[in-house]
Amino acid sequence: MTTDPGTDADADRALDQALALVSRAPRPDAANGANGTGGGTGGAHRAATWLRARETATRAGAAVRGRTHRVALAAALGEVLAAPLDALGDLPSFDTSAMDGWAVAGPGPWTVRPGEGALAGSERPAPLADGEAVRIATGARIPADTTAVIRSEHSREAGTLLYAERPVATGQDIRPRGQECRSGDLLLPAGSLVTPAVLGLAAAAGYDELTTRPRPRVEILVLGDELLTEGPPHDGLIRDALSPMLGPWLTRLGAEVIAVRRLGDDPAGAAALLAAVTDSTADVVITTGGTASGPVDHVHPVLAKAGAELLVDGVAVRPGHPMLLARLGDGPDSRHWVGLPGNPLAAVSGLLTLAEPLLRALAGRRPRPRYVVPVEGDVPGHPHDTRLVPVLLTEDHAVPLRYNGPAMLRGVAAADALAVVPPNGARSGQELEILDLPWASGGCFT
């Protein structure tokens, strides 16, 4: 059997065209290279899926050797315990009254002991004789041989006698020594976030200082010659919307922002960027702009000169697909570079896609729990990429907001969260993963 050479040539051309189309579209589950990296700073690459990019950022942060320090209680707020919180003694350390009322011994009625009674913070009162009662305050030490505490509202005085208006159970309204914990008990494991309640528990247990993981240090480098720092936009120049936004946002994500600097797009700016990145003492350097392939986009060349390893070079997400994550240095003491796109909402997308999971892992915090909410109304999607869309959260639904273009902040400024919209969009009522914005969800304590 023979074939027509012309037919073979047509088939080959069709196959080449199909492969060219596939090479430009991200694969659904492909990350850059075997470990989710681009394997270099230039040339063709496949964008990481949104979920794979976040997982890569988490692994990158977890691989860094965690620093620890010992700080006063107030300074530990928002950090993560680097050592278990163990009970230094019994809590409570003595039997105390849980209510204002009367400490009584034996069956009633009881003879009232004269005097002001037992007060919180005072010496332990004398033991009670059988049939005796003494007035007691919440938190006061229980006299020896006390049977129970009777609440003031459940008692009645008649002369020198006290009567109970309800049945009295042995041990009622007494907090016995060690009720909450015994000396040496584990109160909280290492890795627990220090919240205000944790500070209260640590203080109650007798701690003055805690051993914690310090906040990751972040330096922000805003790139661009077209940025104004004050006044309205004019003559092709625009206001720098990222410098006022990124610092507070990263602080809410748990970072310590050590500097915010602006660098130009000219060759001198590229040289300054290289020096800034290589000399930075930050755990994470975050840049804005310059991540695409425009005539003044010099982030990739600077990455190559700095000897950085690209972990994520583009993400299949809109807005923000040119974002990147790179590792500077080797081993557990390496640092990281997060490159955000220059458009404001695209930069927000990069913050939540790469910076947040990286910073959480560097701080020793667990990944944020995932949850879904049904969306109200149909949401258009991208043919290949995930979309992050600003939404308001009602009691029942996530309501998409307008003004969600890459350069727009109007939508996210009014939003509670971003909804994760899969390729090809979502139908009304479909459940979508929700990314809480740090101020709407409480964020990190600052």
Side-chain angles (χ1 to χ4, degrees), residues 257-285:
V257 178
I258 62 174
V260 180
R261 290 193 281 162
R262 296 177 62 217
L263 302 176
D265 283 328
D266 56 5
L273 176 60
L274 177 60
V277 169
T278 53
D279 295 341
S280 178
T281 60
D283 301 301
V284 180
V285 174

Side-chain angles (χ1 to χ4, degrees), residues 7 24 28 68-69 83 91 104 107 118 130 170 173 182 200 209 247 271 302 319 344 356 365 400 404 440:
T7 303
R24 290 194 295 267
T68 64
H69 62 177
L91 193 64
V104 299
D130 194 38
T170 300
D173 288 325
R182 289 293 185 181
E209 297 179 326
V302 171
E356 179 181 18
R365 299 182 66 188
N404 52 32

Side-chain angles (χ1 to χ4, degrees), residues 175-410:
R175 293 189 65 210
R177 176 175 181 166
Q179 182 185 53
E180 188 166 1
C181 64
R182 289 293 185 181
S183 180
D185 284 354
L186 174 65
L187 301 179
L188 288 171
S192 299
L193 179 66
V194 180
T195 66
V198 171
L199 292 181
L201 174 62
Y207 283 85
D208 299 316
E209 297 179 326
L210 294 174
T211 301
T212 59
R213 294 270 296 266
R215 297 169 181 267
R217 299 184 301 266
V218 172
E219 183 170 8
I220 302 169
L221 305 175
V222 178
L223 312 181
D225 293 325
E226 75 283 13
L227 303 177
L228 295 168
T229 58
E230 59 184 16
H234 63 85
D235 300 328
L237 301 177
I238 61 173
R239 277 297 295 270
D240 173 13
L242 295 178
S243 293
M245 176 176 72
L246 292 183
W249 200 312
L250 288 161
T251 298
R252 292 289 287 179
L253 291 179
E256 177 191 354
V257 178
I258 62 174
V260 180
R261 290 193 281 162
R262 296 177 62 217
L263 302 176
D265 283 328
D266 56 5
L273 176 60
L274 177 60
V277 169
T278 53
D279 295 341
S280 178
T281 60
D283 301 301
V284 180
V285 174
I286 293 183
T287 59
T288 67
T291 57
S293 302
V296 293
D297 291 341
H298 48 241
V299 165
H300 281 88
V302 171
L303 279 167
K305 290 181 181 179
E309 176 191 2
L310 273 169
L311 304 179
V312 175
D313 190 12
V315 180
V317 67
R318 304 294 170 134
H321 62 95
M323 69 181 72
L324 60 84
L325 170 65
R327 180 186 289 124
L328 298 158
D330 297 321
D333 296 319
S334 58
R335 299 180 296 118
H336 290 86
W337 179 341
V338 176
L340 304 177
N343 277 325
L345 189 57
V348 169
S349 174
L351 277 179
L352 297 182
T353 300
L354 295 178
E356 179 181 18
L358 174 68
L359 291 171
R360 290 182 74 90
L362 287 172
R365 299 182 66 188
R366 293 182 293 272
R368 188 181 296 280
R370 299 174 65 181
Y371 73 99
V372 296
V373 173
V375 67
E376 183 178 283
D378 295 345
V379 186
H382 186 274
H384 307 294
D385 297 351
T386 299
R387 286 188 68 210
L388 300 183
V389 177
V391 293
L392 283 175
L393 299 178
T394 68
E395 291 185 1
D396 303 311
H397 293 93
V399 182
L401 296 171
R402 298 173 58 196
Y403 308 107
N404 52 32
M408 298 181 180
L409 287 174
R410 185 172 174 181

Side-chain angles (χ1 to χ4, degrees), residues 55-79:
E55 291 170 348
T56 299
T58 297
R59 288 196 304 270
V64 175
R65 191 197 328 268
R67 295 179 291 116
T68 64
H69 62 177
R70 191 161 182 82
V71 294
L73 290 187
L77 185 64
E79 297 184 350

